[in-house]
Amino acid sequence: LNLFVFLHVLEQKPCVVEDDVEQKTFTVADAVETIGFGRFHIALFMIMGSTGVVEAMEIMLIAVVGPVIRCEWQLGNWQVALVTTMVFFGYMVSSVIFGVLADRYGRWKILIISFIWGAYFSLLTSFSPSYIWFVFLRTMVGCGVSGHAQGLIIKTEFLPTKYRGYMLPLSQVFWLAGSLLIIGLASVINSTIGWRWLVRAASLPGIILILAFKFIPESARYNVSCGNEKAALATLQWIAKMNRSVMPEGKLVEPVDEKRGRFKDLMDPKYLRTTLQIWIIWLTISFAYYGVILASAELLEKNLVCSTEGGAVKEEMGDGSQEIQNPCFCHLFAPSDYQIMFISTVGEIALNPLNILGINFLGRRLSLTITMGCTAVFFLLLNICTSSMGLIGFLFMLRAFVSANFNTIYIYTAEVYPTTMRALGLGTSGSLCRIGAMVAPFIAQVLMNASFLGALCLFASVCVVGAISAFTLPIETKGRALQVGNLSSVL
């Protein structure tokens, strides 16, 4: 009898093991962590990171073209400032739209559409017959550039948790490359074949990059969130093969959430405080960042630091000399001015190693608080009348800190929201922050000419507000897996 029972158990044992195997399941997050980092992620980093080159060239273009169009169309300070403001107005309006569409229809599709849109209107800008047409077409370019953030989301959703804090800040290298490239091109093209050819040259990287997007698949996290497990599984298997790694055992199972990309979810009690504070931080960082860029151009063009005339120009009038307010400062950048812009822009990567250490060891919140506070301090230090090298040093450190701010808040925003609203969360944050970017030109290019110290104090005060908001954020995302559903479990 005992032998009969023993044989019966042996017959049943393989069936039990098979049932256990069939019951095994895994999620996209499990697959991403199991596959690990490899060749696919290097290609992802290079291709999606290059979106920063295109965005930097299109955004920084105004800073190097501003003095030229000021002279060509006899523009006043407010008219030059309006160009930048309208670019960010387009960015603000379309950023939310692209965020909603990306959560509903996919990150990859929206990224392609935004690049085609941006490249098309950028090329048209080079044929602008008047100032009004220039403003309108650059506004359309701003609309297209706002969709570039989907590249960051795709990177975030494919990276294993422990690599996000290292790889995402390194993407700043691409923004730096784009900024330096447009400054270098401007120093050669503006004075030879003209600003229109500079605009055409700036649009070429975007056109080339569109061809490279076919090598990057749609986000697997997005596919499972909308019920397309088959596509998500195929993507993960392809990545595992490319990385020469393995997939988890079992079946890909993840709940489908039909409520994707809804603005009211951002205002849900679980998210409300986080959302409002993130918006404040984005607004202050953008205000400071573009304030630094535009203020640098003003400082170089008009030498405001040690000037007591408040931007006035002295001209000979009849028998004597009198001071008049000239609305058109037709002073083009000299080679030395481009060199100063080039050196100060390199500052954007100067603190990257420290920024990465801070993000990964101090956490996102404390790291952002420190860099925001330092940004405020260096804004005030700009008021010191110093040598050319001293000015370069202050601008260098300012660019370093404001760049570190952007690094950290991009990572934090992409990590804190779940998959179903990640693109919307980043899109609305990017949209609201453009309010700061829209105001910055009038402070850096108009108020600064009337009250240099007043403008610097305003920039510094706003940065202090951002630092306080960063310090009091309710969630720390360091080391936390990306969320799929709601945040109730972590709040």
Side-chain angles (χ1 to χ4, degrees):
L1 179 62
N2 290 337
L3 180 60
F4 175 81
V5 172
F6 178 74
L7 292 174
H8 180 71
V9 170
L10 287 179
E11 288 178 354
Q12 299 299 318
K13 188 173 182 181
C15 296
V16 174
V17 173
E18 186 177 343
D19 289 341
D20 289 343
V21 172
E22 290 178 353
Q23 291 175 359
K24 284 186 177 181
T25 61
F26 65 92
T27 64
V28 173
D30 297 331
V32 168
E33 298 299 328
T34 301
I35 293 171
F37 187 87
R39 292 188 298 175
F40 167 77
H41 296 92
I42 295 174
L44 177 74
F45 176 75
M46 296 301 296
I47 295 174
M48 290 305 174
S50 296
T51 61
V53 174
V54 178
E55 185 173 355
M57 292 185 72
E58 295 291 2
I59 296 298
M60 288 289 293
L61 181 70
I62 303 301
V64 293
V65 166
V68 185
I69 63 171
R70 184 199 300 267
C71 294
E72 180 171 327
W73 288 317
Q74 298 293 296
L75 305 178
N77 288 332
W78 72 270
Q79 290 172 303
V80 177
L82 183 64
V83 176
T84 307
T85 296
M86 291 307 296
V87 169
F88 290 122
F89 175 76
Y91 195 118
M92 180 183 71
V93 172
S94 61
S95 187
V96 176
I97 297 173
F98 279 143
V100 172
L101 294 177
D103 278 332
R104 293 186 180 179
Y105 303 109
R107 286 81 160 101
W108 191 89
K109 295 175 185 176
I110 299 305
L111 185 64
I112 287 288
I113 292 171
S114 69
F115 262 80
I116 294 174
W117 178 295
Y120 174 72
F121 282 103
S122 183
L123 282 174
L124 284 184
T125 303
S126 66
F127 299 98
S128 300
S130 65
Y131 168 73
I132 298 299
W133 271 106
F134 184 86
V135 172
F136 170 74
L137 293 171
R138 291 316 293 179
T139 303
M140 293 297 101
V141 173
C143 292
V145 169
S146 68
H148 295 187
Q150 301 311 315
L152 173 73
I153 293 176
I154 291 175
K155 278 190 298 182
T156 302
E157 294 184 339
F158 275 126
L159 280 171
T161 302
K162 69 177 182 179
Y163 289 96
R164 291 201 306 266
Y166 296 94
M167 297 303 294
L168 295 180
L170 285 177
S171 298
Q172 186 64 24
V173 173
F174 296 99
W175 179 278
L176 173 67
S179 300
L180 296 179
L181 182 57
I182 196 66
I183 293 172
L185 289 173
S187 66
V188 176
I189 296 176
N190 274 347
S191 59
T192 54
I193 54 180
W195 66 268
R196 295 178 187 275
W197 283 102
L198 177 64
V199 175
R200 291 162 192 158
S203 65
L204 288 178
I207 297 172
I208 296 171
L209 195 56
I210 292 172
L211 303 176
F213 287 151
K214 67 178 182 179
F215 297 106
I216 301 299
E218 176 60 88
S219 166
R221 292 180 190 268
Y222 164 77
N223 279 328
V224 295
S225 74
C226 61
N228 196 356
E229 287 91 355
K230 185 176 180 181
L233 183 60
T235 296
L236 293 170
Q237 290 172 338
W238 178 72
I239 294 173
K241 182 178 180 181
M242 189 173 179
N243 283 4
R244 297 175 182 174
S245 184
V246 295
M247 289 280 291
E249 293 183 2
K251 180 182 179 182
L252 175 61
V253 175
E254 200 140 359
V256 178
D257 196 335
E258 299 295 335
K259 301 175 182 178
R260 303 189 311 275
R262 302 189 309 172
F263 182 80
K264 69 178 183 179
D265 290 339
L266 295 175
M267 297 292 103
D268 186 276
K270 298 190 295 292
Y271 302 91
L272 183 59
R273 178 183 166 188
T274 300
T275 296
L276 293 179
Q277 288 188 232
I278 284 177
W279 286 353
I280 292 173
I281 296 169
W282 272 92
L283 192 151
T284 57
I285 291 176
S286 182
F287 179 71
Y289 182 81
Y290 293 106
V292 171
I293 292 175
L294 297 172
S296 300
E298 288 294 298
L299 295 177
L300 298 175
E301 187 181 356
K302 302 174 186 176
N303 190 28
L304 296 178
V305 177
C306 300
S307 173
T308 60
E309 277 112 23
V313 178
K314 288 186 177 181
E315 293 186 357
E316 293 294 329
M317 299 288 291
D319 297 331
S321 170
Q322 74 178 69
E323 191 178 53
I324 65 170
Q325 288 296 122
N326 188 348
C328 179
F329 295 90
C330 202
H331 299 156
L332 301 181
F333 287 150
S336 59
D337 295 329
Y338 285 114
Q339 291 173 9
I340 294 176
M341 289 184 70
F342 196 92
I343 294 172
S344 63
T345 301
V346 173
E348 293 202 4
I349 202 173
L351 292 183
N352 237 24
L354 290 178
N355 188 212
I356 291 173
L357 290 175
I359 288 172
N360 287 283
F361 293 98
L362 298 179
R364 281 56 161 155
R365 292 181 298 188
L366 184 56
S367 178
L368 184 57
T369 302
I370 294 172
T371 54
M372 286 291 289
C374 291
T375 304
V377 171
F378 273 91
F379 261 119
L380 294 177
L381 290 177
L382 269 185
N383 189 56
I384 298 176
C385 181
T386 182
S387 64
S388 176
M389 289 303 297
L391 176 61
I392 292 174
F394 288 148
L395 291 176
F396 184 91
M397 293 305 298
L398 252 180
R399 294 291 287 269
F401 282 117
V402 294
S403 175
N405 295 336
F406 256 131
N407 273 344
T408 310
I409 195 59
Y410 260 117
I411 295 171
Y412 183 87
T413 306
E415 290 178 334
V416 78
Y417 289 116
T419 301
T420 53
M421 53 191 289
R422 185 168 295 121
L424 177 61
L426 196 60
T428 52
S429 299
S431 179
L432 266 292
C433 90
R434 301 309 155 181
I435 295 176
M438 290 166 63
V439 175
F442 290 95
I443 306 303
Q445 295 176 313
V446 179
L447 176 61
M448 188 167 283
N449 284 279
S451 175
F452 186 65
L453 179 59
L456 295 181
C457 288
L458 181 58
F459 279 121
S461 299
V462 170
C463 289
V464 170
V465 172
I468 294 172
S469 186
F471 186 73
T472 57
L473 280 167
I475 304 170
E476 174 57 71
T477 62
K478 184 186 77 168
R480 194 188 73 163
L482 293 182
Q483 306 298 298
V484 178
N486 58 56
L487 284 176
S488 57
S489 60
V490 293
L491 290 178

